[in-house]
Amino acid sequence: MLEEYESMEDGEKKVEGPVYNWRCVTEEFMTACSKLDLGELLHDSSFGLFEAMSAIEMMDVKMDAGMMCNQIKRKVLTLPQAIEVTWLEGHSLAQTVFTNLYLHDPSLIEDRTMRAFSVCMLKIVDLIRDRINRSGVYEEEDFQPLTYGFKMAGDVTDVKAVTAMKEVEDELSRAARHLKGLIQEGSSEETSECEGVPQAKKLINQMLELIKTIKETVSLGIHPEDREVTKNDYPTIMGFDPLINQRLLPPTFPRYTVIHDRGEALDYIHTLLERLLSSTAMLDATNIQEVMCSENLVSYHHVFLAGLFCSLHSCPQVGECLVSIPSQTSSRTPSEPLTALYNNAEVKQYVDALVTRAVRPVCTVLQVLGHNRARQRDKWAHLLDEMVSLQDEADKVDGYLHQIQMKMDPNRQYGSSFGTWVLYYTLQVMLAYTLSGFELELYAPYEYHYVYWYLYELLYSWLYSTIQRAETFVIDHEAFIESVSVKGRGSKKGKKKKRSKAVQRELIICQAQQNMFGGYYKKLKQPSFEYDREEVRYSHRLAPFACVSTPPMVPYSQYKTQTVIRVAKTNFVTLKLLSGGHKQDSEDPPEFDFSLHKLYPVIKV
Amino acid sequence: MLLQSWLNKSMKVEMTDGRTLIGMFLCTDRDRNVILGSCEEYLQPPGNEGKKEEPRILGLAMIPGHHIVSIHIDDDSKNVAEL
């Protein structure tokens, strides 16, 4: 493919190949220009202001990627690892990893050590690329999957590469062993998503140890010369040429990539490994809630890679969770249809269809967490649409099940388990959407008032009641099962207790958050809108929620009437504080300080 | 008018940072800001002895007048408008 590309370009060159006959007209041009009127544009009839607007402005720091001053800041180019890290951070493969000439065709390298090392690098890059592609949580700006037709050492198997690595291990420094670890980690994940994890965990720990040694020995070996970088010489060590792949890049591509130095790169790998380690812990989570919780924690670190590996780990599990719904009860999943009802062929068909339909949106919930923060917000809004239609279907299934239940056993009530289950996720998505606004610093201080109000009055209170409802269903249902089965297995009781404990915990967290937001809301004074319309802002902020039928969008008018009552209370508290002589001489309004936590600001009067 | 006659001809502009741009002259104004179409960027002035440098394709580019060092016009290339 590479050859094809080259030959194509050669062909183009032949067609062009213009021979210019340049004549210097600088002086004439300057004088002619100065005769133009101020603001007058000299142009052809076919060229208008509109075309002129779309031109790239040269020498503009933002628009002109090839600017010379953009090049001077370049950092020192070093170990392949450093380059790999730069690639991991979202730069083009051709500009990073493949600036190492050795990697272009490792089979040509005669030195055994170097060859094994190069093959390993290629393998690792390929594994990572494959992983990222499969989890699908990147956008163009985050990660560039293009390989530009480079061979990723596909002819060499993982095992072979590892053995080759082992052979040179004694000769070479420990960097080799580290690399071997990486590739093994990758392949162990490859072979068995879940079973390979304990082994991977062990390997990660080993690598963390090795990083220390590598850090200590970084100062050894060849170093690039220290010199001022000018336009045509780059600090480089043997085997690297930063411009080697320039021709493969698309035209508007940023020309120069800053490559990390070794120290930074090792730090990066270190944190990456630690994050991977924490993400493996997630597999112990028994239900989706725990997964989401830990995933949230991990991806708060803003590095999308971590989130990405998380979603890789958890996706198969989610599928499992969902598939097991009809037969096994997980805390929020509907357990209703499992006995007599589920034996009804038609019911089975409906339920299975719904579950299959639900797999995608619910998996997406987890996948979205792998995206970077700004993307997440868009994705959440988008996901809501899907949740709405899922909710519709769940309600239909619920209605149908209710009918059947009435026919079979009029004494027993069928709760809307599926509807509740979907509602739970819808609320989670809405919450994620609203809260992400804080993290991305989208809300202006005068908006806090209604955002907090919405969180407190609507979202968290709905979430609370939803969890509670689901719990009641489960308890009712289990009581029923126990009353039916005369045998009454003792083992089941313990399981139930454990589960409701988890639910209890979630309920408490939910309530605490609701109260937190309620507190902030009440603490805030109603902002004054002299030249602005709050209603417009309100509707705009919450626009994605308008399509959701349950919970319904609370109109602005309702927020307004609610506030009138609140204002009295808020003022009462504030006035009481102030009348107590608190901050008497200060005229500043209370400030919100988000430096300690992203969601719960510290209020400063 | 002189400027008018240069429209749509190939133009070579050298910039203050040493890069050279070659493209079709499309537009200018009193501050000597120049817009070139189908513009190519060369890091070294082309025509230099030595190996040929691969240009970077920029497309439509505007060069602010105060960054222009020298301007060359191609006498041979035919005016596209005439063709």
Side-chain angles (χ1 to χ4, degrees), chain A residues 74 77-84 95-104 114 117 121 222 224 234-244 259 262:
Chain A
R74 295 180 71 261
L77 189 73
T78 47
L79 250 180
Q81 272 157 349
I83 291 174
E84 193 188 344
Q95 275 182 316
T96 53
V97 180
F98 281 105
T99 56
N100 183 345
L101 302 178
Y102 291 127
L103 296 185
H104 281 239
M114 201 59 211
F117 190 79
M121 272 319 280
I222 43 168
Y234 300 89
T236 138
I237 57 174
M238 195 175 57
F240 292 87
D241 180 358
L243 289 180
I244 183 80
I259 302 214
R262 281 186 222 194

Side-chain angles (χ1 to χ4, degrees), chain A residues 79-80 112-121 165 172 175-176 179:
Chain A
L79 250 180
R112 203 156 54 104
T113 319
M114 201 59 211
R115 188 173 56 227
F117 190 79
S118 302
V119 169
C120 255
M121 272 319 280
M165 218 50 202
L172 201 68
L179 219 56

Side-chain angles (χ1 to χ4, degrees), chain A residues 308-323:
Chain A
L308 171 121
F309 279 98
C310 294
S311 39
L312 272 172
H313 283 312
S314 47
C315 274
Q317 218 195 359
V318 177
E320 233 167 77
C321 279
L322 285 169
V323 172

Side-chain angles (χ1 to χ4, degrees), chain A residues 12-283:
Chain A
E12 266 177 358
K13 231 184 279 167
K14 272 166 211 153
V15 176
E16 276 181 340
V19 184
Y20 296 111
N21 181 15
W22 295 120
R23 180 166 63 92
C24 181
V25 291
T26 318
E27 286 305 315
E28 295 163 82
F29 191 88
M30 301 290 178
T31 38
C33 276
S34 57
K35 283 178 193 151
L36 291 168
D37 284 331
L38 179 66
E40 182 188 349
L41 284 182
L42 178 111
H43 59 84
D44 216 15
S45 55
S46 60
F47 187 83
L49 196 59
F50 181 75
E51 282 82 12
M53 290 301 289
S54 59
I56 310 173
E57 187 176 335
M58 299 311 290
M59 299 303 288
D60 178 275
V61 185
K62 288 224 175 75
M63 279 194 255
D64 186 359
M67 228 169 111
M68 288 306 154
C69 73
N70 279 353
Q71 300 169 35
I72 310 247
K73 281 185 234 138
R74 295 180 71 261
K75 287 185 189 164
V76 175
L77 189 73
T78 47
L79 250 180
Q81 272 157 349
I83 291 174
E84 193 188 344
V85 165
T86 313
W87 172 62
L88 285 175
E89 283 189 334
H91 288 283
S92 154
L93 198 58
Q95 275 182 316
T96 53
V97 180
F98 281 105
T99 56
N100 183 345
L101 302 178
Y102 291 127
L103 296 185
H104 281 239
D105 197 349
S107 59
L108 291 181
I109 305 171
E110 284 177 15
D111 183 273
R112 203 156 54 104
T113 319
M114 201 59 211
R115 188 173 56 227
F117 190 79
S118 302
V119 169
C120 255
M121 272 319 280
L122 283 178
K123 275 278 165 207
I124 292 166
V125 167
D126 196 33
L127 273 173
I128 297 175
R129 197 181 54 88
D130 179 56
R131 239 92 259 284
I132 294 176
N133 275 337
R134 268 202 280 160
S135 63
V137 288
Y138 65 90
E139 303 276 334
E140 197 186 0
E141 68 199 56
D142 301 318
F143 183 76
Q144 306 198 2
L146 277 178
T147 57
Y148 301 99
F150 284 114
K151 288 176 216 131
M152 304 303 261
D155 45 342
V156 188
T157 61
D158 288 354
V159 185
K160 216 164 142 193
V162 174
T163 355
M165 218 50 202
K166 224 172 198 163
E167 280 171 24
V168 297
E169 201 176 83
D170 303 326
E171 304 162 31
L172 201 68
S173 73
R174 300 186 182 205
R177 203 174 305 156
H178 175 80
L179 219 56
K180 192 187 89 183
L182 252 180
I183 197 168
Q184 275 179 336
E185 204 258 347
S187 49
S188 70
E189 272 181 34
E190 178 93 58
T191 43
S192 46
E193 294 284 354
C194 288
E195 294 88 56
V197 169
Q199 202 203 337
K201 223 163 159 176
K202 213 176 83 196
L203 286 166
I204 291 174
N205 278 323
Q206 271 175 17
M207 283 189 285
L208 281 173
E209 289 286 307
L210 286 170
I211 286 242
K212 272 186 225 145
T213 336
I214 297 176
K215 260 188 194 160
E216 284 158 15
T217 54
V218 150
S219 54
L220 306 172
I222 43 168
H223 275 273
E225 289 168 58
D226 264 336
R227 60 180 170 194
E228 180 92 11
V229 196
T230 49
K231 73 175 184 184
N232 283 321
D233 50 32
Y234 300 89
T236 138
I237 57 174
M238 195 175 57
F240 292 87
D241 180 358
L243 289 180
I244 183 80
N245 298 310
Q246 203 64 59
R247 306 199 301 158
L248 297 180
L249 302 175
T252 51
F253 217 74
R255 195 162 199 165
Y256 307 103
T257 304
V258 176
I259 302 214
H260 287 268
D261 68 19
R262 281 186 222 194
E264 275 174 46
L266 289 173
D267 287 342
Y268 181 94
I269 296 183
H270 187 88
T271 39
L272 176 67
L273 287 174
E274 275 175 349
R275 224 163 272 158
L276 280 174
L277 202 60
S278 71
S279 75
T280 52
M282 176 187 315
L283 279 177

Side-chain angles (χ1 to χ4, degrees), chain B residues 2-20:
Chain B
L2 190 62
L3 285 175
Q4 202 82 45
S5 70
W6 286 334
L7 280 177
N8 297 318
K9 281 192 176 182
S10 287
M11 184 178 267
K12 181 172 82 172
V13 177
E14 196 190 322
M15 294 201 297
T16 46
D17 71 343
R19 280 180 294 167
T20 304

Side-chain angles (χ1 to χ4, degrees), chain B residues 20-69:
Chain B
T20 304
L21 304 175
I22 295 179
M24 195 166 52
F25 176 51
L26 290 178
C27 182
T28 191
D29 64 2
R30 196 169 80 157
D31 298 320
R32 286 174 273 122
N33 299 316
V34 171
I35 297 182
L36 298 182
S38 326
C39 188
E40 291 178 347
E41 175 204 276
Y42 293 83
L43 288 181
Q44 289 167 309
N48 270 13
E49 315 254 319
K51 45 185 174 173
K52 245 188 174 176
E53 184 196 348
E54 198 62 38
R56 183 168 74 126
I57 291 122
L58 295 177
L60 201 57
M62 194 276 278
I63 309 116
H66 60 276
H67 281 300
I68 296 177
V69 174

